[in-house]
Amino acid sequence: MADITTDVLIVGTGPAGSATAALLSSYGVENMVINRYRWLANTPRAHITNQRTMEVLRDLGRDVEDEAYLFATEQDLMGENIFCTSLTGEEIGRMKSWGKHPLSRAEHQLSSPTHMNDLPQTFMEPLLFKTACSRGTQARMSTEYLSHVQDDAGVTTTVRDRLTGRDVTIRSKYLVGADGGNSKVAADIGLPFEGRMGVAGSMNILFKADLSKYVAHRPSVLYWVMQPGSNVGGIGMGLVRMVRPWNEWLIVWGYDINGPEPKVDEAMATKVARDLVGDPDLQIDLRSVSTWTNNDMYATQMSKGRVFCMGDATHRHPPSNGLGSNTSIQDAFNLAWKLALVLKGQAGEHLLDSYNAERAPVAKQIVTRANKSIGEFGPIFKALGLLDSIDPVKMQQNMDARVENTADAEAQRAAIREAIAAKVYEFDAHGVEMNQRYRSDAVAADGATEPPFEKDAELHYQWTTYPGARVPHAWVFDDHGTKVSTLDLCGKGRFSVLTGIGGDAWVAAAKTVGAELGLDLAAHIIGPRQHWQDFTGDWARAREVRDSGIVLVRPDHHVAWRSETVAADPAGELRRVLKAVLAR
């Protein structure tokens, strides 16, 4: 007999694990989360927080969303990526990033009620963990996952209490492996992976120093420093990342992965910091050093039986594009409502198969994109002349040549501008963040043809209510003139019906079918003299159905199904669709 029982056991308290726990507890599902360490993230690691992730926090509650903004560096201070020879040296160029460009900012504001920001993992993780525990999650720190055994009714997991050395068994209906890039859970269930680990080596140097006089006038999260001859490969590019403006910093510096890991002591860390900042007298308060590897690997399947993996356990990639914790939290948002409905008897177990169908393609997409972004630094190096020689003196001469009044120098300057501007695919890839469209049995086709992307799908979000896509954001207004997003009318663990004047039968059907299936179905009529009014017409333009039509939205904001107009038998149609989507 197991020592402990729970409905869902989650291994790992990182962004994926803590988000899963917070969501399950919000849905009223008993769960336990374990962490082999004594506490949460102690280094800032992940930090870029995109709008889709903020929508998940918003769904957890406006208090959760507001606390994230409270501790985050806001969008304007995320600023522009700076390319320079040092923080005190010559600036080579810059690009507006993370929605800073006015055209990109407009797209961000039109696409979501939330705002992009920079929230280090040392703030995000405790926020999610606290939310989970305050809502009912049982947490055990210093508890190490050892193994598990599945059977038809559940999973028996053996863990070790690292404080006492005693092994403990935990019985759960489902197990979630959110245990990072070296996931033992993923290994134990034999998840298939493509790609390879350890394609490059990097070290992190975390320190405190007031650098405001070098950067406050040009705020940015990332300062890319190029000093020929100063590191592996001779290109000498180091990254100075702002953790907190403007006195906490993280330097990322490469090392040869084919050799031994470097021993980074205080003297070396100080020298690297002084070189990249360009201040030979800089005094730093060194906080930590660590080494890690860039990976290029993703799981082609994310679950086996009653065990599900997510986050870095299934998508292992460099931090390019800032997709790591964002995708991890969104994995949780996809799986948690499905587990909740199955555990409550409101859905069949086949619904859980859609987690793999929907999220495995995303894992492949973001691993591919992140690694491609690294390669896209090549044109910058080439334009600067850093690939034409391995002699640091010659490399510096090639960089200096761009200031000359010659046709070649003018062409070089143009090439540099174009190469830096092309990094928009890493630093402002709004479409990568927002364009995910699911194809699975948890989505019901409506007979329409999927709309093509009219613009670059990696750069630009394109709204649609086509089944599988995230429901478009539009502001609507209540009886008192208070505006809320259409996303706010959805989520919270419930399916939602959005309709207009002439759609009263859909609302009645939602009440009838919800009662039959034991589902809490939210139903909203949006139109003149209704509780929700579309004064701007934005929702009418975005919904892609007529006033009497319906957009059925899943708890994770993705469209489950839609109908152009009211059906002859609304209850029958809604019943058919929900039973299919929920595998009833």
Side-chain angles (χ1 to χ4, degrees):
M1 186 173 183
D3 299 301
I4 301 169
T5 59
T6 189
D7 281 341
V8 182
L9 174 63
I10 304 159
V11 181
T13 58
S18 288
T20 302
L23 289 161
L24 288 174
S25 288
S26 299
Y27 302 156
V29 173
E30 181 182 319
N31 67 92
M32 174 177 286
V33 62
I34 64 172
N35 182 348
R36 72 189 303 269
Y37 302 105
R38 59 181 292 271
W39 190 230
L40 307 177
N42 58 2
T43 58
R45 288 181 279 185
H47 57 112
I48 299 296
T49 306
N50 64 38
Q51 287 178 295
R52 185 63 185 131
T53 292
M54 289 305 303
E55 289 172 358
V56 178
L57 301 192
R58 187 182 181 94
D59 192 75
L60 281 168
R62 294 300 295 273
D63 57 328
V64 179
E65 180 191 16
D66 289 346
E67 188 169 337
Y69 290 137
L70 177 66
F71 290 106
T73 297
E74 52 95 9
Q75 196 167 10
D76 281 334
L77 290 184
M78 293 172 73
E80 302 168 346
N81 269 260
I82 307 295
F83 297 82
C84 55
T85 60
S86 71
L87 266 58
T88 64
E90 186 176 20
E91 183 173 325
I92 297 167
R94 66 177 77 176
M95 65 155 293
K96 296 183 184 297
S97 311
W98 318 120
K100 175 71 172 175
H101 191 287
L103 294 176
S104 180
R105 178 64 59 89
E107 288 195 22
H108 279 72
Q109 291 178 346
L110 290 169
S111 67
S112 176
T114 66
H115 308 289
M116 194 167 204
N117 60 79
D118 188 281
L119 187 65
Q121 193 166 334
T122 42
F123 292 90
M124 174 68 84
E125 203 169 302
L127 172 59
L128 293 169
F129 184 74
K130 175 188 71 172
T131 301
C133 295
S134 67
R135 298 181 183 182
T137 295
Q138 293 283 353
R140 287 181 65 104
M141 311 305 283
S142 299
T143 301
E144 180 178 4
Y145 164 86
L146 297 179
S147 63
H148 76 269
V149 177
Q150 291 193 61
D151 56 53
D152 291 340
V155 186
T156 301
T157 302
T158 302
V159 303
R160 177 162 297 158
D161 184 327
R162 300 182 74 190
L163 299 180
T164 65
R166 175 174 172 256
D167 289 354
V168 177
T169 55
I170 303 173
R171 180 68 175 173
S172 60
K173 295 183 176 69
Y174 297 98
L175 173 66
V176 175
D179 50 336
N182 294 310
S183 171
K184 191 173 189 308
V185 177
D188 285 353
I189 61 174
L191 287 189
F193 283 86
E194 290 188 3
R196 62 193 183 101
M197 299 284 279
V199 297
S202 294
M203 68 181 77
N204 284 353
I205 300 172
L206 180 64
F207 68 97
K208 285 195 171 185
D210 183 0
L211 304 182
S212 55
K213 64 182 178 181
Y214 306 131
V215 298
H217 62 289
R218 49 178 181 179
S220 178
V221 173
L222 305 174
Y223 296 82
W224 301 93
V225 180
M226 279 165 278
Q227 297 176 343
S230 59
N231 88 325
V232 175
I235 290 173
M237 185 174 73
L239 171 62
V240 182
R241 169 192 151 193
M242 180 277 296
V243 177
R244 308 298 285 170
W246 304 108
N247 64 358
E248 187 173 351
W249 301 88
L250 181 70
I251 284 175
V252 181
W253 193 243
Y255 72 88
D256 186 353
I257 198 168
N258 296 313
E261 284 191 9
K263 303 299 182 184
V264 187
D265 57 16
E266 186 166 2
M268 178 184 175
T270 300
K271 182 182 186 306
V272 171
R274 287 176 174 175
D275 287 346
L276 295 187
V277 173
D279 181 350
D281 300 316
L282 179 68
Q283 298 299 312
I284 69 169
D285 177 6
L286 182 63
R287 292 308 177 96
S288 68
V289 297
S290 59
T291 58
W292 50 282
T293 61
N294 285 329
N295 303 312
D296 185 1
M297 180 175 281
Y298 56 88
T300 56
Q301 181 179 324
M302 298 177 64
S303 63
K304 184 175 182 180
R306 292 177 171 269
V307 182
F308 301 83
C309 289
M310 60 171 57
D312 289 352
T314 54
H315 30 87
R316 305 167 185 181
H317 54 89
S320 315
N321 288 76
L323 297 170
S325 67
N326 290 292
T327 307
S328 300
I329 291 168
Q330 293 156 33
D331 287 345
F333 200 36
N334 183 284
L335 179 62
W337 70 268
K338 297 171 182 177
L339 285 172
L341 293 188
V342 171
L343 285 165
K344 293 176 182 179
Q346 297 169 336
E349 284 199 346
H350 181 60
L351 172 64
L352 298 175
D353 295 340
S354 67
Y355 170 68
N356 178 67
E358 294 176 352
R359 294 306 292 177
V362 174
K364 178 180 179 179
Q365 178 199 20
I366 64 117
V367 170
T368 302
R369 177 66 258 175
N371 280 278
K372 188 176 180 181
S373 290
I374 291 182
E376 288 167 350
F377 277 103
I380 299 177
F381 301 150
K382 181 178 179 180
L384 288 169
L386 298 178
L387 303 181
D388 299 336
S389 175
I390 60 173
D391 178 5
V393 175
K394 178 59 177 173
M395 294 165 75
Q396 187 63 54
Q397 289 173 347
N398 290 345
M399 287 180 64
D400 294 340
R402 74 190 189 282
V403 307
E404 297 171 2
N405 182 23
T406 66
D408 286 345
E410 184 172 359
Q412 183 183 19
R413 291 191 290 271
I416 293 169
R417 289 194 300 271
E418 291 172 7
I420 291 177
K423 289 301 290 177
V424 67
Y425 282 93
E426 177 175 0
F427 302 124
D428 203 12
H430 195 223
V432 173
E433 299 164 357
M434 302 290 286
N435 274 333
Q436 293 166 12
R437 298 179 182 178
Y438 295 151
R439 297 172 179 84
S440 75
D441 290 342
V443 173
D446 67 342
T449 301
E450 180 175 357
F453 289 101
E454 297 172 356
K455 296 182 179 180
D456 190 316
E458 289 196 309
L459 297 183
H460 303 283
Y461 164 65
Q462 180 172 308
W463 54 259
T464 179
T465 59
Y466 183 80
R470 164 190 163 276
V471 69
H473 153 71
W475 293 113
V476 295
F477 303 81
D478 69 8
D479 299 336
H480 305 291
T482 301
K483 71 176 183 179
V484 303
S485 170
T486 46
L487 273 75
D488 297 328
L489 303 184
C490 307
K492 308 291 185 187
R494 304 184 300 178
F495 277 77
S496 301
V497 166
L498 302 181
T499 187
I501 290 177
D504 303 74
W506 290 121
V507 175
K511 184 176 182 180
T512 299
V513 176
E516 287 179 12
L517 300 181
L519 291 172
D520 180 12
L521 285 178
H524 305 284
I525 297 176
I526 303 172
R529 298 187 182 176
Q530 304 300 314
H531 179 68
W532 299 112
Q533 302 196 64
D534 180 22
F535 293 132
T536 64
D538 289 339
W539 171 244
R541 283 184 283 270
R543 70 192 181 196
E544 298 177 321
V545 299
R546 295 178 60 183
D547 286 352
S548 64
I550 180 178
V551 178
L552 177 66
V553 186
R554 306 186 330 182
D556 59 359
H557 302 155
H558 281 257
V559 176
W561 173 73
R562 65 183 179 177
S563 176
E564 172 73 11
T565 60
V566 67
D569 179 8
E573 273 294 271
L574 192 57
R575 183 184 300 109
R576 175 188 67 82
V577 168
L578 281 170
K579 291 182 74 172
V581 167
L582 295 175
R584 294 282 289 262

